[in-house]
Amino acid sequence: MTDNTFLDLNKLFCTFTAKSELEDIVSTINRRHSILYNKIFVLESPQSEELICTYNIDTGNVSEAPLPNTILLHRKKESNTLYTINALNTLIKKLNNGVLDTSYIINWHDYKNSILLTNGPELRKLDTSIYKIIDLSVH
């Protein structure tokens, strides 16, 4: 038995939606996936008109593909930074004179309460705050 026996199947997904469609999106997410911790965190950003729904799912129980406008994210807990792997690589290259060095140390505090995304080759940083937390156990 190796350490890989119990793979982490908990994945953080992020679905972007218009405010007017939030209720429908939350209902669809809840219907299609088993949401871990029964919580969907809805974030807002001054750099985006869309709301950002983040939620954890057990990918071992996923029967359908993610919704449109949905991406897989990673989270740095200490700074509450959400990021894609592409954005992380782009950030490292930006901070490290164009060199991708996976051992490069990032000052995560510089990216506190934000989402790091890519827009083509460009890094995009969205500052975030909580719009609302939806507790699915009371719905």
Side-chain angles (χ1 to χ4, degrees):
M1 208 181 260
T2 67
D3 289 339
N4 291 334
T5 303
F6 301 103
L7 295 175
D8 181 14
L9 299 176
N10 177 358
K11 300 294 181 200
L12 176 61
F13 279 96
C14 168
T15 301
F16 295 87
T17 187
K19 282 185 182 181
S20 62
E21 296 179 17
L22 178 62
E23 198 171 303
D24 289 340
I25 283 293
V26 167
S27 177
T28 302
I29 291 168
N30 193 28
R31 188 176 62 252
R32 288 179 66 173
H33 302 292
S34 177
I35 307 300
L36 298 174
Y37 318 114
N38 285 317
K39 299 237 187 309
I40 295 178
F41 291 83
V42 183
L43 308 174
E44 60 184 346
S45 172
Q47 293 97 351
S48 176
E49 293 182 11
E50 293 181 300
L51 293 176
I52 305 154
C53 301
T54 64
Y55 49 96
N56 288 282
I57 65 170
D58 177 350
T59 54
N61 294 325
V62 173
S63 59
E64 299 183 55
L67 294 169
N69 300 317
T70 299
I71 58 175
L72 176 65
L73 289 178
H74 302 273
R75 179 172 174 245
K76 192 67 169 177
K77 288 182 183 179
E78 298 80 23
S79 61
N80 198 31
T81 308
L82 302 171
Y83 60 92
T84 65
I85 294 299
N86 286 344
L88 178 62
N89 289 339
T90 301
L91 176 62
I92 290 170
K93 287 191 270 188
K94 179 180 174 185
L95 297 173
N96 195 33
N97 300 315
V99 177
L100 178 58
D101 176 358
T102 56
S103 64
Y104 186 86
I105 305 297
I106 294 171
N107 181 359
W108 287 105
H109 190 72
D110 291 344
Y111 307 96
K112 186 176 175 121
N113 296 321
S114 67
I115 296 181
L116 301 176
L117 304 167
T118 51
N119 186 8
E122 300 297 314
L123 181 66
R124 185 169 177 216
K125 178 181 174 260
L126 301 178
D127 298 313
T128 59
S129 59
I130 293 178
Y131 178 75
K132 69 163 55 172
I133 299 171
I134 299 171
D135 186 344
L136 300 171
S137 64
V138 296
H139 275 95

